[in-house]
């Protein structure tokens, strides 16, 4: 799939914002801990991915009713859905100067991922969390995502690489008092098309 940067300015994929708050002390602390002893930025990116995938519970899988959306809150509370986990991973990667984009798939609802830039190319990663039937892994040699869209079900990969969370995603997260409410209001598409 041909991925399209939302902006040509690569520095936008290193920036902090209200959801990807990589200047927050907790984000910096976790990033420093993960960076300790790694050999290079690739090893750091893999360690950060595995930390978010394996340590931050996907709230639907764990039954946690809390809704998190800011990276520092995701790390503090140890829970979040795919979007929140993507925000946390993006913050940890950007904290170590690794360009990271947010990207999405249209499944039953919109699913959140990240893309990291290494060797002049973007590589999508899915920190959602593994469970029976889901085996996402960090890879720069072919995608190993949690889900593959089925075009026959009108599912697709959105090609745009966003520097900030999509407004539909962020609005749904911020407005939800709990996960059951969020599940009723998750975006089913990112624009008026499929």
């Amino acid at each position: 799939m041909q991925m399209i940067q939302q902006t040509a300015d690569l520095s936008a994929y290193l920036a902090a914002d209200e959801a990807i708050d990589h200047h927050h002390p907790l984000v910096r602390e976790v990033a420093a801990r993960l960076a300790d002893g790694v050999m290079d930025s690739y090893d750091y990116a893999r360690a950060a991915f595995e930390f978010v995938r394996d340590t931050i519970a996907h709230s639907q899988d764990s039954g946690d009713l809390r809704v998190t959306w800011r990276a520092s809150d995701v790390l503090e509370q140890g829970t979040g859905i795919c979007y929140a986990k993507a925000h946390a991973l993006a913050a940890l990667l950007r904290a170590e100067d690794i360009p990271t984009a947010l990207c999405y798939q249209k499944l039953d609802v919109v699913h959140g991922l990240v893309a990291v830039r290494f060797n002049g190319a973007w590589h999508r990663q899915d920190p959602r969390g593994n469970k029976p039937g889901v085996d996402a892994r960090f890879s720069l040699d072919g995608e190993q995502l949690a889900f593959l869209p089925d075009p026959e079900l009108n599912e697709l990969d959105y090609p745009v690489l966003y520097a900030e969370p999509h407004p539909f995603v962020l609005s749904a997260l911020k407005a939800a008092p709990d996960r059951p409410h969020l599940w009723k209001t998750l975006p089913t598409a990112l624009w008026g098309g499929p």
Side-chain angles (χ1 to χ4, degrees):
M1 175 183 73
Q2 178 74 25
M3 290 182 268
I4 304 164
Q5 286 182 208
Q6 180 188 29
T7 176
D9 182 5
L10 204 55
S11 69
Y13 298 97
L14 293 169
D17 59 40
E18 67 174 333
I20 304 170
D21 58 341
H22 64 75
H23 296 304
H24 188 281
L26 179 58
V27 176
R28 302 301 302 175
E29 175 190 323
V30 173
R33 193 170 8 124
L34 292 170
D36 187 37
V38 298
M39 300 296 289
D40 55 26
S41 60
Y42 172 82
D43 284 341
Y44 173 82
R46 184 175 34 76
F49 169 84
E50 290 173 356
F51 174 82
V52 173
R53 182 193 65 190
D54 300 341
T55 306
I56 307 298
H58 189 286
S59 57
Q60 174 70 15
D61 295 349
S62 68
D64 196 317
L65 299 180
R66 296 174 292 173
V67 175
T68 54
W69 57 271
R70 185 178 288 116
S72 57
D73 294 337
V74 173
L75 296 174
E76 178 192 19
Q77 296 180 38
T79 190
I81 67 165
C82 61
Y83 311 134
K85 292 182 70 160
H87 298 169
L89 180 56
L92 290 171
L93 294 172
R94 289 180 183 187
E96 291 295 316
D97 295 322
I98 298 170
T100 307
L102 298 166
C103 47
Y104 303 92
Q105 296 175 316
K106 181 190 180 306
L107 306 171
D108 287 342
V109 294
V110 175
H111 176 61
L113 316 162
V114 302
V116 296
R117 188 162 178 90
F118 277 102
N119 303 321
W122 290 99
H123 306 273
R124 292 189 309 165
Q125 313 296 327
D126 191 343
R128 180 225 179 271
N130 290 338
K131 63 179 187 174
V134 174
D135 186 25
R137 297 183 184 273
F138 185 83
S139 175
L140 302 183
D141 300 318
E143 296 179 338
Q144 295 188 28
L145 306 177
F147 307 109
L148 295 175
D150 183 347
E152 291 186 13
L153 298 175
N154 201 28
E155 297 178 346
L156 57 89
D157 288 307
Y158 288 110
V160 177
L161 300 171
Y162 293 91
E164 298 176 348
H166 191 282
F168 290 1
V169 167
L170 200 53
S171 294
L173 288 169
K174 290 170 86 173
D178 56 33
R179 190 180 37 78
H181 177 86
L182 177 62
W183 240 238
K184 297 174 192 168
T185 60
L186 288 172
T188 57
L190 293 184
W191 51 75

